Amino acid sequence: MTDTLIARTADALQSAFGRAPDLWVQAPGRVNLIGEHTDYNDGFVLPCAIDYRTVIAVTARSDRQVRVVAADYGHAVDTFDLDGPIAPHPTLQWANYVRGTVKMLAEHLAPLGLSLRGADLAIAGNVPQGAGLSSSASLEVAVGQAFKALLGLGDRDGVSQTDLALIAQRAENRFVGVNCGIMDQLISARAEAGHALLIDCRSLSGQPVHLPESVAVMVVHSRVRRGLVGSEYNTRRTQCEAAARHYGVPALRDVDLARLERDRGGLDEVVYRRARHIVTENARTVDAAAALAAGDLVQLGELMAASHVSMRDDFEITHPAIDRLVDIAQQAVGHEGGARMTGGGFGGCIVVVLPDERVADVRAAIEGPHPSPDGGPPTVWISHPGAGAGQNW
């Protein structure tokens, strides 16, 4: 699939600008195996990169102009100048992810005595859009990687892969206007092939966790539109902050289960249940990383099942159609592996970790007699953990 993207970007660059690429870069999408709503509580998450990605063909310019062609949007072209103010595009939403990343990268480089140079970019991707697999983070990180490669920048220059992720997050927060956490950009920038990454969302440290080569990651889109996720997300975040204030800590990361129970007096019951999900989910995520590292798919499956129950009953972010999909997947997987909802909630996707040999049976169980609410079968993607952003892959 990546070869196809490389060819498409080369063709787009030639068609739009009459130029051949100097280099290519890529950045993947991601799925979170376990650790839901823990990121903004300074907790732990366990995502992996998927082998669906954004590819950019890059060629240098001798001036300060940036020209971008989007192969996935009818070869639409955006042009802006690095010496002028970089403002949101009036009509092209995809262009704002590019412009925002370039603006934030330029601001990051200025105190280091570095500056960007003009470039022509051609972009194509196969990360499913609107599925909660971080197509936007993939695009942002790929744009940052394009200029990092073009300028030959690295850790010694003050542009590490973690810096790249933070720049991409700032672009989404401050320019695009989406108040996302750091997980999506960080795993896209720093993933290792064949591994998930246990991320400490407070320190931004990451511990690679090996997935056996015989294990697949299945992502299933329920086709349930996540219509309430924005307002409900904000409500959950407010409830978690209220719980942290009750316990007198900076974030629920700092509360263990014993203290949660011991000092709950006077805490609203709903807020208590929200806090219980976060506290137990943090523990589950750390335990899941250990189980995965040991190749213990039985334990991993039990932790994923417990995570889903907690999201359903304590955090109340699942949906009946999602619950049914998870039940079907868990029964089809059996004891080795597991399934749970992944993402913000109220629809979207489930993630299934399972042996390769079980993929066909689980896919058949999911796609067979159980249509989605709109009458069609759920959409299924199969992946193995891919590498993070880079120039060579």
Side-chain angles (χ1 to χ4, degrees):
M1 290 189 291
T2 303
D3 289 345
T4 301
L5 294 175
I6 290 172
R8 288 182 61 212
T9 57
D11 290 345
L13 198 68
Q14 181 65 42
S15 175
F17 307 131
R19 308 193 68 192
D22 293 331
L23 56 92
W24 282 269
V25 298
Q26 62 79 30
R30 69 94 186 96
V31 65
N32 191 25
L33 303 183
I34 193 169
E36 228 57 75
H37 288 259
T38 49
D39 56 349
Y40 57 81
N41 288 284
D42 282 359
F44 297 92
V45 292
L46 186 65
C48 68
I50 55 176
D51 44 19
Y52 294 84
R53 55 198 66 246
T54 299
V55 170
I56 303 181
V58 187
T59 189
R61 295 180 59 86
S62 59
D63 59 16
R64 299 272 291 164
Q65 194 173 68
V66 176
R67 300 188 299 181
V68 190
V69 56
D72 298 329
Y73 291 92
H75 286 221
V77 173
D78 181 33
T79 302
F80 57 96
D81 198 298
L82 293 171
D83 288 328
I86 302 176
H89 194 283
T91 58
L92 299 176
Q93 179 63 19
W94 64 264
N96 288 332
Y97 294 96
V98 180
R99 290 184 176 210
T101 302
V102 172
K103 178 180 174 66
M104 298 304 162
L105 179 57
E107 292 179 0
H108 178 83
L109 293 178
L112 303 174
L114 300 170
S115 62
L116 296 176
R117 63 180 300 180
D120 289 336
L121 312 177
I123 301 173
N126 59 9
V127 182
Q129 297 186 16
L133 300 178
S134 296
S135 58
S136 61
S138 170
L139 172 56
E140 292 155 355
V141 172
V143 170
Q145 189 72 49
F147 283 94
K148 181 176 177 178
L150 190 65
L151 297 171
L153 300 175
D155 290 12
R156 293 181 180 179
D157 305 295
V159 190
S160 68
Q161 291 304 96
T162 298
D163 291 324
L164 208 61
L166 290 166
I167 288 163
Q169 183 197 22
R170 285 197 294 273
E172 188 141 355
N173 291 170
R174 301 179 189 176
F175 197 92
V176 179
V178 177
N179 191 28
C180 65
I182 189 59
M183 174 179 69
D184 298 353
Q185 289 83 4
L186 198 61
I187 186 64
S188 184
R190 287 178 45 187
E192 295 184 18
H195 294 74
L197 188 66
L198 178 64
I199 298 172
D200 180 335
C201 294
R202 174 170 284 169
S203 69
L204 301 187
S205 63
Q207 175 187 333
V209 182
H210 179 66
L211 270 76
E213 293 181 4
S214 59
V215 172
V217 177
M218 176 183 288
V219 181
V220 184
H221 197 305
S222 65
R223 298 167 66 128
V224 177
R225 185 176 178 181
R226 298 183 298 162
L228 296 175
V229 69
S231 62
E232 293 292 342
Y233 174 92
N234 290 337
T235 299
R236 296 303 184 279
R237 189 162 186 161
T238 298
Q239 290 166 334
C240 290
E241 291 166 354
R245 286 194 299 271
H246 173 85
Y247 287 98
V249 294
L252 287 175
R253 153 74 174 272
D254 302 301
V255 178
D256 60 18
L257 189 58
R259 186 175 179 202
L260 179 78
E261 300 296 340
R262 184 182 70 242
D263 297 340
R264 62 176 291 192
L267 185 62
D268 175 83
E269 178 62 24
V270 171
V271 172
Y272 162 73
R273 287 194 289 110
R274 304 298 189 246
R276 184 168 61 185
H277 165 73
I278 299 301
V279 171
T280 57
E281 185 80 345
N282 270 326
R284 280 188 293 269
T285 302
V286 173
D287 290 345
L292 195 56
D296 188 348
L297 294 187
V298 175
Q299 176 70 2
L300 178 66
E302 292 173 355
L303 291 164
M304 292 178 73
S307 173
H308 187 81
V309 169
S310 181
M311 288 187 289
R312 183 192 67 200
D313 297 344
D314 277 353
F315 223 60
E316 297 183 287
I317 56 172
T318 71
H319 182 282
I322 290 281
D323 296 335
R324 287 194 296 272
L325 269 178
V326 169
D327 287 343
I328 292 163
Q330 287 175 340
Q331 292 176 17
V333 167
H335 296 297
E336 289 193 87
R340 59 183 285 277
M341 189 201 76
T342 186
F346 309 99
C349 292
I350 74 166
V351 60
V352 189
V353 180
L354 70 169
D356 277 327
E357 62 190 24
R358 299 293 302 151
V359 165
D361 290 341
V362 175
R363 181 196 285 270
I366 288 171
E367 292 181 336
H370 305 283
S372 63
D374 66 6
T379 306
V380 178
W381 298 284
I382 307 298
S383 182
H384 292 83
Q391 184 175 346
N392 299 309
W393 65 93

